[in-house]
């Protein structure tokens, strides 16, 4: 009887894990990315406009990268803090990092998203979210950036 019970638990656990599985994006790397045919300054400016319009704050920038942050919604914050196992962490934030690389005469914009929270003693815990719905939302925003560039 114990073996059947263990198999049932294993089946339910594997169903929960794999029913949420999302196939990778149809991009060369399988991660959120687009290619545009403009100098790097134009896609950077449009990306800043697009992400600030969605409530993100630009926290770090260089010639080839941008980083944005935004507080996670309450439901996702609770899940993140439960996963960390400590309610003494700071409010979890969604962090989006965009990297701009040259590919021939085009610029490739590669996106990454993760959740981050800071512990009571300064340690930072991060969870990579560059898959599933987060990846699809980021890809959608990158496609909107590409579309805005083509209209200018």
């Amino acid at each position: 009887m114990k073996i059947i019970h263990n198999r049932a638990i294993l089946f339910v656990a594997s169903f929960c894990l794999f029913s949420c599985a999302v196939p990778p994006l149809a991009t060369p790397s399988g991660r959120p990315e687009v290619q545009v045919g403009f100098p790097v300054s134009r896609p950077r400016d449009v990306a800043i406009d697009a992400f600030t319009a969605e409530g993100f704050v630009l926290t770090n920038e260089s010639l080839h990268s941008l980083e944005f942050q935004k507080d996670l919604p309450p439901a996702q914050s609770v899940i993140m803090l439960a996963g960390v196992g400590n309610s003494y962490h700071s409010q979890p934030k969604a962090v989006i990092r965009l990297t701009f690389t040259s590919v021939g005469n085009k610029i490739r914009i590669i996106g990454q998203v993760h959740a981050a929270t800071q512990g009571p003693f300064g340690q930072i815990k991060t969870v990579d979210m560059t898959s599933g719905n987060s990846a699809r939302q980021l890809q959608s925003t990158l496609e909107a950036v590409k579309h805005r560039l083509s209209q200018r």
Side-chain angles (χ1 to χ4, degrees):
M1 186 69 172
K2 187 176 181 179
I3 293 175
I4 294 172
H5 179 70
N6 289 343
R7 284 185 181 174
I9 290 174
L10 181 63
F11 174 75
V12 170
S14 63
F15 177 77
C16 290
L17 286 174
F18 296 112
S19 65
C20 298
V22 177
L25 294 171
T27 61
S29 66
R31 300 173 72 82
E33 66 177 75
V34 293
Q35 282 192 9
V36 294
F38 296 96
V40 73
S41 62
R42 286 187 61 197
R44 286 180 74 247
D45 292 343
V46 174
I48 291 171
D49 291 343
F51 283 97
T52 55
E54 290 187 15
F56 285 89
V57 176
L58 180 64
T59 56
N60 193 2
E61 72 174 305
S62 70
L63 180 60
H64 295 287
S65 69
L66 296 172
E67 185 175 288
F68 301 91
Q69 287 187 2
K70 176 179 166 180
D71 287 345
L72 284 176
Q76 291 179 350
S77 293
V78 169
I79 293 170
M80 170 80 177
L81 289 174
V84 169
N86 189 340
S87 64
Y88 297 110
H89 282 71
S90 67
Q91 169 75 24
K93 298 186 180 303
V95 179
I96 293 181
R97 187 169 294 124
L98 302 178
T99 305
F100 299 83
T101 61
S102 296
V103 179
N105 60 350
K106 293 189 174 195
I107 298 296
R108 182 176 171 198
I109 306 170
I110 305 166
Q112 176 190 11
V113 60
H114 66 271
T117 185
Q118 186 172 0
F121 299 109
Q123 73 276 22
I124 306 247
K125 301 264 185 172
T126 62
V127 176
D128 185 22
M129 299 186 336
T130 313
S131 62
N133 289 335
S134 297
R136 301 214 180 289
Q137 290 172 344
L138 181 53
Q139 181 66 29
S140 172
T141 304
L142 290 176
E143 293 290 343
V145 166
K146 182 178 180 178
H147 182 72
R148 286 182 194 174
L149 282 167
S150 67
Q151 290 180 338
R152 289 187 174 187

